[in-house]
Amino acid sequence: MTSLQQFRITLTAALLAYGCSASAQESAPPLGLSGQVGVAAVSTSTYLGSPNRVTVPAPDLGLSYRTRDWGHIDLDGRSGLSWNAEVGAFWGGVLLGVDPGRKERKPSGGFPVPGDARLKGMGDIRSSAQVGAMAGYGPVGVMVLKSVGSRGSEGAQFSLLTRHAMPVGDRLTVTLDASATWADRKMMQAYFGVTPTQSASSGFAAYAPKSGLEKADLALGAEYKITDHWTVKGNIGATRLLGDARHSPIVSKPTVATVGAGVAYQF
């Protein structure tokens, strides 16, 4: 698992991929068990498309067990559980994560589920498990995610992503991440659609989006090693809603900025 990940309030496909895949440009963790424990502060929108923002503390926790021949198993507090393997510049893996859903009110707590009071009448999107697979060559990869069970959206997403990591001296690493995400009709309807019943309850116009491009993400991150074990991190990113997602009546701002900073102990 890469040591630098996007600080995001939602578990997007891009976050899952960046957390679980390592490009050939980044140094691999040592064999055996490694990990990090830290805390960050994150400022982002209350949900994708919201005009309102929230700043919250967020844990930065992760464990990785790397073998010589069988890849590595990663457990991360934000992206979930994954198994990954590399053969030369080729890499791939599978993962189990969580789609946190969305509330029709502003949630409380240290690291809340996305939601806002302006969505009153839309109902909650319940959290659900997600399964996925990913593969790539060097810094470029693809990922497929599918919500399972009947609790949440039951939708699927497909992401094309890339990462470029550039060491600057012995202690500083700068990382550029970019991705584009396509979503099926179920995912688009759950997060950007408005049924006639929801329209009557919320006041938003009824809207039935089709499957298609959902969003594009771009993030610039930096990690500086204070000592061999302690690091400070910073990240600034933007998400741009596209296609039918952008034109949803619940979307007030199609471009969302996210800023994060934190400190972590690595072992």
Side-chain angles (χ1 to χ4, degrees):
M1 177 179 292
T2 59
S3 59
L4 178 63
Q5 300 172 317
Q6 290 192 33
F7 296 112
R8 294 296 303 274
I9 198 170
T10 56
L11 298 178
T12 63
L15 170 63
L16 291 167
Y18 302 154
C20 300
S21 65
S23 80
Q25 297 167 315
E26 295 177 89
S27 60
L31 295 178
L33 184 66
S34 61
Q36 62 182 16
V37 179
V39 65
V42 181
S43 175
T44 189
S45 62
T46 53
Y47 69 89
L48 279 179
S50 172
N52 303 318
R53 297 186 64 82
V54 62
T55 300
V56 294
D60 188 10
L61 308 174
L63 288 174
S64 180
Y65 186 80
R66 179 174 289 268
T67 68
R68 188 179 303 276
D69 301 315
W70 299 98
H72 50 103
I73 298 174
D74 303 312
L75 177 62
D76 182 76
R78 293 183 299 275
S79 59
L81 179 67
S82 67
W83 170 81
N84 305 270
E86 298 91 23
V87 179
F90 290 96
W91 53 267
V94 294
L95 61 91
L96 175 64
V98 176
D99 178 348
R102 191 184 66 198
K103 300 288 187 180
E104 63 171 350
R105 62 189 183 280
K106 183 178 179 180
S108 59
F111 195 62
V113 173
D116 197 286
R118 75 189 301 266
L119 297 177
K120 184 174 177 59
M122 288 292 295
D124 294 341
I125 302 173
R126 300 179 67 185
S127 63
S128 62
Q130 283 186 318
V131 295
M134 53 195 169
Y137 181 84
V140 180
V142 294
M143 168 171 281
V144 178
L145 283 174
K146 177 69 171 68
S147 295
V148 294
S150 58
R151 287 177 52 92
S153 68
E154 302 181 56
Q157 293 174 307
F158 174 89
S159 294
L160 174 66
L161 51 105
T162 183
R163 150 169 287 206
H164 178 71
M166 182 178 65
V168 182
D170 296 331
R171 295 187 177 274
L172 177 64
T173 301
V174 177
T175 308
L176 180 66
D177 291 305
S179 69
T181 299
W182 177 95
D184 68 5
R185 184 185 294 269
K186 288 183 178 179
M187 183 68 74
M188 294 284 275
Q189 179 62 43
Y191 282 96
F192 301 102
V194 182
T195 67
T197 300
Q198 289 173 324
S199 178
S201 300
S202 67
F204 291 113
Y207 186 67
K210 299 177 182 178
S211 60
L213 282 175
E214 177 193 2
K215 61 188 176 182
D217 292 275
L218 182 66
L220 180 66
E223 177 179 305
Y224 184 81
K225 294 182 72 69
I226 304 172
T227 68
D228 290 341
H229 294 286
W230 286 96
T231 63
V232 290
K233 305 178 182 183
N235 181 281
I236 181 169
T239 297
R240 176 70 176 182
L241 294 175
L242 304 171
D244 284 5
R246 177 183 176 184
H247 299 295
S248 169
I250 72 168
V251 171
S252 177
K253 286 190 174 182
T255 301
V256 175
T258 299
V259 180
V263 61
Y265 178 83
Q266 298 177 341
F267 57 91

